[in-house]
Amino acid sequence: MKDLKHIVVAFDGNEESKRAVEYGATLKKAFPKAELTVVHVLNDKVEQRIIGNASAPGFVPSAGFYVDPVQTHPVVEVDQQRNQKVNDTPSALENSIQNAESNTLRLLSECQVTGKFELLEGYAPDSVCDFAARTSADLIVVGNSDKSGLEKFFLGSTSSSIAKNAPCSVFIAK
């Protein structure tokens, strides 16, 4: 069997990905010299493209869509309360990132292994595979999709897409 030097585990917070982290930790114990990196991918980036006639009335080029001038309504500015603090709490995105990182580190601690947490962005299968290629990973561990057969057929699954396009071996945790 090949000696593993770098194990990448994909984690999105669901039960299947928690099992993937547990399997990654087990592999880390079996290969103590291996580096273990748990990656979390933020939602897809939305790329805006201009479609249609950009000079048409109502077209908003910076947003990439058309707004019918007849359907627009005037916006009335509302005064904020003077005592209200703006940006007092972290955004939902920051909370999501912090939760993913703390859950990852907690799971690794429970399994008594050390590892790194990396935040990626973009389309999850592509981001995980690109990260594995950039870091010369030997193995990607990913949770099994909980989609039904029909959902997998129409939408695909992250685990099967990673398995198909990965630059290294893939372990799908069930």
Side-chain angles (χ1 to χ4, degrees):
M1 175 183 237
K2 182 179 176 182
D3 199 28
L4 299 178
K5 294 181 181 91
H6 187 204
I7 303 163
V8 174
V9 179
F11 178 75
D12 66 3
N14 67 22
E15 287 304 312
E16 291 78 17
S17 68
K18 289 178 184 176
R19 276 196 292 281
V21 172
E22 292 167 356
Y23 275 106
T26 301
L27 288 164
K28 168 71 175 160
K29 287 178 182 177
F31 298 92
K33 292 183 182 180
E35 180 182 354
L36 176 64
T37 307
V38 179
V39 296
H40 178 74
V41 183
L42 293 178
N43 291 336
D44 303 352
K45 287 184 180 178
V46 177
E47 186 176 316
Q48 296 178 348
R49 297 182 194 149
I50 296 177
I51 299 172
N53 183 1
S55 62
F59 189 79
V60 185
S62 62
F65 59 84
Y66 175 80
V67 177
D68 185 355
V70 176
Q71 299 295 321
T72 59
H73 302 284
V75 177
V76 179
E77 195 170 311
V78 178
D79 292 333
Q80 288 186 351
Q81 294 177 0
R82 287 192 172 93
N83 296 339
Q84 184 181 3
K85 292 183 180 179
V86 178
N87 295 329
D88 191 31
T89 59
S91 70
L93 181 61
E94 290 171 342
N95 283 335
S96 173
I97 295 167
Q98 289 171 352
N99 285 339
E101 184 171 14
S102 64
N103 286 338
T104 298
L105 297 176
R106 179 185 50 76
L107 285 168
L108 292 177
S109 175
E110 288 173 3
C111 295
Q112 300 174 345
V113 297
T114 58
K116 294 189 312 185
F117 176 82
E118 289 285 334
L119 185 65
L120 308 176
E121 56 183 30
Y123 179 60
D126 292 346
S127 296
V128 172
C129 290
D130 291 346
F131 179 81
R134 273 195 329 271
T135 59
S136 302
D138 300 300
L139 181 68
I140 299 172
V141 182
V142 63
N144 187 39
S145 172
D146 60 352
K147 293 178 185 170
S148 70
L150 217 53
E151 286 176 313
K152 282 183 189 178
F153 178 76
F154 286 109
L155 302 174
S157 78
T158 302
S159 56
S160 62
S161 187
I162 289 173
K164 181 179 175 186
N165 300 307
C168 58
S169 297
V170 177
F171 180 95
I172 299 176
K174 289 188 174 191

